[in-house]
Amino acid sequence: MSGQNSDQLHRTTLAIYTSIMEQFNPGLQRLAALGNNYIQAFQALALTSEAYFNALCKMGEQAMQSMSSRLLGDVLVQISDSQRRLTNELEGVFRWFHSEVLREMDDNVRLDKEYILNSRRRYEIEVRNQASALERQMRRGVPQDGSEYVHFLRECQREALKEEERRYRFLAEKHSGFTQSIAYLMNKTGGGLQNRAEGWKDLVNHTRESRPRTPSRLEDNIVRYNEIMFNNT
Amino acid sequence: MSGQNSDQLHRTTLAIYTSIMEQFNPGLQRLAALGNNYIQAFQALALTSEAYFNALCKMGEQAMQSMSSRLLGDVLVQISDSQRRLTNELEGVFRWFHSEVLREMDDNVRLDKEYILNSRRRYEIEVRNQASALERQMRRGVPQDGSEYVHFLRECQREALKEEERRYRFLAEKHSGFTQSIAYLMNKTGGGLQNRAEGWKDLVNHTRESRPRTPSRLEDNIVRYNEIMFNNT
């Protein structure tokens, strides 16, 4: 930047405003639309997950009514509850994403169109005013090396760059927050889920071991069949 | 079970077969259908997530080309990559769920219809044979207390209960495996993701601090505006 003359400085500053107006904001608008699709797809997933684990829970409740599989029924109900809780927690993350990221992106795009156009317009007026003042002073014979004008242009460029940076920082901050909330959920939930899943595995194995096999005419076939079909569980 | 007479035993055993045929298997079929919806919804989510983070990545690449926001662009590209990797890992879990749970449920329902019907038919034939043999012996005057017949009925009931239990165990084992694979992913990924998200937050804050503010005529307005709009980031 230091090597730029006043014309280059001015053109670069205009290019920064143009980039916000023609690249960043349309990109943000596209992103907000894609984000809405993403959230809708998550909501659809949450509904199918709910339907699936409700149905699994019902099968667990049936098992709890049976003579053979009360413990397994209890495990199935617990698994269903656990998955439904996990989906609820994820819904919380997506609600945050919707209100704190997507809605703000939408609002910013809407408000920023006019704001950035005005900023650019204000900058152009300021440049014209400063340039005229410089010209007037030179005509009056006041000695001028133009350094004050270049300093002004540099300050304006710094401000435009800050505008641009703030917009990218907003994006980076919001999305690292999204990742962080997913990571937080994973770390909060992962350990307990692992322990519960191991507990269920032990209970399931317990039901396998608790009744020693005494093969009979019928059972010979049953065992052979189940080894293929129900994965010898 | 110990207090049941031979009629009660027989009726209960038939009820177990009926419950597998009329409750468990139709339930499993419904579950497989709901599971296919669940997987399709996940695939749709994965597509929208891919589209969203590809778009975010492109904005990061734009930022990397800018004069103001190279570091923020790098953070945005990293966030996008990280989310895309997470989606890929989740796709692996759902692929496992599809091949190891849903497809097996589908296969089992298809094969079990005939198998359980045959088991029940075989059981009824055996009961008739045993009852006739008992009757023949009693007619010949061979002393019978029926205890052998009751023992036979109890064994058959034990086998029917085992059939039922195996089916619920299959469900419990598969679904605790599903939860376990989610927990494994959470525990494997959560810690690293948390660290990366914290690193991004630090980098974002660094870009905020690295340029001290020197308010000017234009910036006064910009700061005021951005405090409202870009959440003072």
Side-chain angles (χ1 to χ4, degrees), chain B residues 13-202:
Chain B
T13 304
L14 286 178
I16 296 163
Y17 283 115
T18 304
S19 147
I20 295 176
M21 290 189 291
E22 294 177 8
Q23 280 205 304
F24 184 87
N25 279 335
L28 200 64
Q29 193 153 27
R30 262 196 309 279
L31 203 59
L34 291 170
N36 282 319
N37 295 347
Y38 184 33
I39 283 187
Q40 276 167 22
F42 173 77
Q43 286 164 341
L45 177 76
L47 283 178
T48 59
S49 167
E50 180 77 7
Y52 185 86
F53 289 103
N54 280 350
L56 187 68
C57 185
K58 271 193 198 122
M59 293 193 76
E61 284 160 0
Q62 273 172 25
M64 286 172 89
Q65 304 295 318
S66 75
M67 281 164 66
S68 66
S69 311
R70 284 173 201 161
L71 187 64
L72 291 167
D74 190 42
V75 168
L76 285 167
V77 169
Q78 284 184 43
I79 293 173
S80 308
D81 283 347
S82 167
Q83 288 287 342
R84 287 185 291 199
R85 269 201 305 279
L86 184 57
T87 303
N88 283 345
E89 301 248 30
L90 268 172
E91 275 174 335
V93 172
F94 274 84
R95 264 196 303 280
W96 179 89
F97 181 64
H98 180 250
S99 65
E100 294 297 314
V101 184
L102 290 194
R103 208 143 61 190
E104 291 203 19
M105 275 171 18
D106 252 340
D107 290 349
N108 288 356
V109 167
R110 208 165 21 81
L111 297 168
D112 205 32
K113 268 181 194 157
E114 202 179 341
Y115 171 78
I116 275 291
L117 200 65
N118 285 341
S119 299
R120 184 186 150 132
R121 208 174 282 145
R122 216 161 40 233
Y123 163 70
E124 287 180 296
I125 292 166
E126 289 264 359
V127 166
R128 268 202 298 279
N129 290 346
Q130 293 279 331
S132 311
L134 181 67
E135 215 183 300
R136 271 197 306 277
Q137 296 211 309
M138 282 168 86
R139 259 184 300 189
R140 278 182 214 147
V142 184
Q144 291 291 334
D145 63 356
S147 66
E148 213 176 304
Y149 178 59
V150 168
H151 177 75
F152 158 79
L153 289 174
R154 278 204 186 124
E155 277 299 298
C156 289
Q157 184 165 102
R158 225 175 119 250
E159 284 154 17
L161 286 171
K162 272 189 169 182
E163 285 280 7
E164 184 180 58
E165 189 185 25
R166 263 192 206 100
R167 281 155 182 76
Y168 283 117
R169 183 155 51 230
F170 163 82
L171 263 192
E173 194 160 54
K174 290 294 181 181
H175 287 89
S176 83
F178 180 58
T179 303
Q180 199 157 22
S181 66
I182 292 173
Y184 175 78
L185 174 59
M186 286 178 148
N187 294 326
K188 191 186 75 167
T189 312
L193 206 60
Q194 180 72 34
N195 291 341
R196 279 200 298 285
E198 273 160 23
W200 297 328
K201 207 176 156 189
D202 290 346

Side-chain angles (χ1 to χ4, degrees), chain A residues 212-226:
Chain A
R213 280 188 179 156
T214 50
S216 68
R217 270 168 296 176
L218 274 180
E219 202 175 52
D220 273 352
N221 290 330
I222 291 168
V223 169
R224 208 169 302 127
Y225 173 76
N226 278 300

Side-chain angles (χ1 to χ4, degrees), chain A residues 37-177:
Chain A
N37 294 347
Y38 184 33
I39 284 186
Q40 276 166 20
F42 173 78
Q43 286 164 342
L45 177 77
L47 283 177
T48 59
S49 168
E50 180 77 7
Y52 185 86
F53 289 102
N54 280 350
L56 187 69
C57 186
K58 271 194 196 123
M59 294 193 75
E61 284 160 0
Q62 272 172 24
M64 286 172 88
Q65 304 295 319
S66 75
M67 281 164 67
S68 66
S69 311
R70 282 172 203 165
L71 187 62
L72 290 167
D74 191 40
V75 168
L76 285 167
V77 169
Q78 283 184 42
I79 292 173
S80 309
D81 283 347
S82 167
Q83 288 287 340
R84 287 186 289 199
R85 269 201 306 278
L86 184 57
T87 303
N88 283 346
E89 302 247 29
L90 268 172
E91 275 173 334
V93 173
F94 274 84
R95 261 197 305 278
W96 179 88
F97 181 64
H98 181 251
S99 64
E100 293 297 314
V101 184
L102 291 193
R103 208 143 60 190
E104 291 204 17
M105 276 172 16
D106 253 341
D107 289 349
N108 288 354
V109 167
R110 208 164 23 79
L111 297 169
D112 205 32
K113 268 182 194 157
E114 203 180 340
Y115 171 78
I116 275 291
L117 200 67
N118 285 342
S119 301
R120 185 185 149 135
R121 210 173 281 146
R122 214 160 40 231
Y123 163 69
E124 288 178 297
I125 292 166
E126 289 264 359
V127 167
R128 268 202 299 278
N129 291 346
Q130 292 279 331
S132 310
L134 180 66
E135 217 182 296
R136 270 198 306 277
Q137 295 212 308
M138 283 167 85
R139 258 182 301 182
R140 278 184 214 147
V142 185
Q144 291 292 331
D145 62 358
S147 66
E148 213 177 304
Y149 180 57
V150 169
H151 176 76
F152 159 77
L153 289 174
R154 278 202 186 124
E155 277 297 299
C156 290
Q157 184 166 101
R158 226 177 117 248
E159 284 155 17
L161 286 171
K162 273 189 167 183
E163 286 278 7
E164 185 180 58
E165 190 185 24
R166 262 190 207 103
R167 280 153 183 76
Y168 284 116
R169 185 157 47 231
F170 163 81
L171 263 192
E173 193 160 56
K174 290 295 181 181
H175 287 89
S176 84

